[in-house]
Amino acid sequence: MTKPVGIALIGMGWWGKKMLNVLGAAPEDIRVARAVEPDLETARAICAEKGVPLSPDYADALADPAVEAVVLATPHALHGEQIEAAVAASKHVFCEKPLALTKAGAEKAVRLCRDAGLVLGMGHERRWEPPIADLLAKADAGELGRIHQIEANFSHDKFLALDRDNWRLKADQAPAGGMTATGIHLLDLSVRLLGPAESVWCVCEQLSSDLPQGDTVAAYVKFRSGGTSYVSASLANPFMSRFTVYGSKCWIDIRDKAHVEAPDGWIVTSATAGGPIKTVEVPPAEPVKENLVSFARAVRGVERYPITSEHLVNNIGLLEAVFASARSGKIETVA
């Protein structure tokens, strides 16, 4: 790295502030050149503390020559037009999940960045959690054998405190309960391990809250290459995060001790064919920072960003089918 990549943080809500805080530990790779937040008062104090210029307009970031890349922590429905504007301004893009709400939208975003020679990063920081990264490496090396099934849950009750008109609870921004908030991370890992999905059956219910899009969601996914994934999420129970992969040679179960907002390490249980069940503890790490650093290094050409265009499109294609199944109550084919 010859110099840190200058970025603009777009959207200084809960997650924008999280990213600003963790990037203080990555000065060699990333410099936050400015922040953008329409509601200035909500971000003025933290930006002043960090010495980051703050303004209300996205156009300010796109016109700033110190900004090489934008990091979008904005409402889901804005991602498409914001990515298009960034590409027109020759800015690399890191987008919080989901990239889009339709497969067509994901394909357009990928195409725009690819054709312009720009890096497209994605806020799937779970891939950078040390035990998840180790699991993916083992799967790639064939150490798990044929993967049969994935079982995963990512739940929390943080949204119960939100105003009910918050964009994170709107039908046009976040249908199917917690699928766009938490479940999509599990869909991403499932697609990463098993490839394109074939079909999905999703059930979304409102069981113990007044959250308008439901508080409990479960999706059962069948993959084109064989294998299944069961992904579930609640927005109305205490924190839980579990990702389990069953293979013919080995199974691995990974449980977070705390939400990625404030990581506290992981408990990993596994068994290899013919061997005992083992449990180890993995110390805390900061995957949000590591994902952004990987993106910056890809911008500099130092390394290849691991979330591929194919992964991005396949994940959103599956997400779109999850939405359709939640509405219909039927098994839906993934486009």
Side-chain angles (χ1 to χ4, degrees):
M1 297 283 285
T2 56
K3 64 174 183 176
V5 173
I7 69 165
L9 286 174
I10 314 301
M12 290 301 296
W14 170 40
W15 208 246
K17 290 173 182 172
K18 161 72 179 180
M19 290 191 285
L20 180 56
N21 281 323
V22 301
L23 287 176
E28 295 181 357
D29 294 284
I30 298 176
R31 181 177 72 87
V32 182
R34 67 164 51 245
V36 173
E37 170 54 53
D39 188 355
L40 291 174
E41 289 308 312
T42 64
R44 197 182 300 279
I46 190 172
C47 288
E49 175 191 344
K50 304 290 185 183
V52 174
L54 174 67
S55 61
D57 297 321
Y58 185 41
D60 297 336
L62 300 182
D64 188 343
V67 172
E68 300 170 76
V70 296
V71 176
L72 304 177
T74 54
H76 308 153
L78 299 180
H79 292 170
E81 64 183 63
Q82 289 177 333
I83 291 171
E84 189 169 0
V87 170
S90 299
K91 309 293 186 185
H92 301 275
V93 178
F94 183 99
C95 184
E96 267 306 317
K97 49 75 187 166
L99 176 62
L101 296 172
T102 65
K103 184 179 182 182
E107 289 172 332
K108 181 179 180 181
V110 164
R111 183 179 67 253
L112 286 171
C113 292
R114 181 191 62 227
D115 291 351
L118 299 168
V119 178
L120 176 58
M122 194 71 230
H124 285 310
E125 67 277 341
R126 303 217 54 172
R127 293 195 187 201
W128 278 263
E129 294 176 4
I132 294 288
D134 182 63
L135 182 154
L136 296 177
K138 282 182 166 64
D140 291 346
E143 294 179 30
L144 305 188
R146 178 64 162 94
I147 295 176
H148 301 147
Q149 294 179 319
I150 294 169
E151 295 178 1
N153 180 282
F154 186 2
S155 299
H156 63 68
D157 54 6
K158 293 177 179 290
F159 288 5
L160 291 179
L162 294 177
D163 290 337
R164 294 304 181 256
D165 61 352
N166 187 286
W167 67 266
R168 294 178 182 274
L169 304 178
K170 296 291 188 182
D172 62 338
Q173 301 276 355
M179 195 56 71
T180 57
T182 57
I184 189 171
H185 289 292
L186 310 177
L187 298 181
D188 168 66
L189 292 173
S190 298
V191 166
R192 167 65 174 81
L193 287 163
L194 289 171
E198 178 181 295
S199 62
V200 61
W201 179 48
C202 177
V203 176
C204 184
E205 298 180 289
Q206 188 184 60
L207 297 178
S208 66
S209 75
D210 65 345
L211 295 176
Q213 305 312 315
D215 54 37
T216 305
V217 64
Y220 188 75
V221 186
K222 184 178 184 299
F223 290 83
R224 295 179 193 172
S225 63
T228 57
S229 178
Y230 172 73
V231 168
S232 58
S234 171
L235 294 176
N237 63 244
F239 172 76
M240 171 63 183
S241 177
R242 167 178 174 257
F243 189 74
T244 307
V245 178
Y246 299 95
S248 59
K249 295 180 181 179
C250 174
W251 62 260
I252 301 175
D253 174 85
I254 300 169
R255 298 180 188 237
D256 297 62
K257 290 184 178 181
H259 191 280
V260 69
E261 181 183 24
D264 191 33
W266 297 265
I267 299 170
V268 181
T269 305
S270 64
T272 300
I277 295 175
K278 299 178 181 180
T279 298
V280 299
E281 295 201 18
V282 179
E286 189 47 84
V288 173
K289 181 200 73 175
E290 295 305 325
N291 187 3
L292 287 161
V293 165
S294 183
F295 167 73
R297 292 177 178 172
V299 168
R300 286 286 178 261
V302 174
E303 63 182 55
R304 188 173 184 176
Y305 191 70
I307 304 180
T308 68
S309 297
E310 184 180 21
H311 295 161
L312 293 171
V313 171
N314 287 340
N315 189 24
I316 300 303
L318 173 54
L319 182 68
E320 186 176 19
V322 166
F323 296 157
S325 181
R327 290 192 301 268
S328 71
K330 301 176 181 178
I331 295 173
E332 297 285 347
T333 299
V334 179

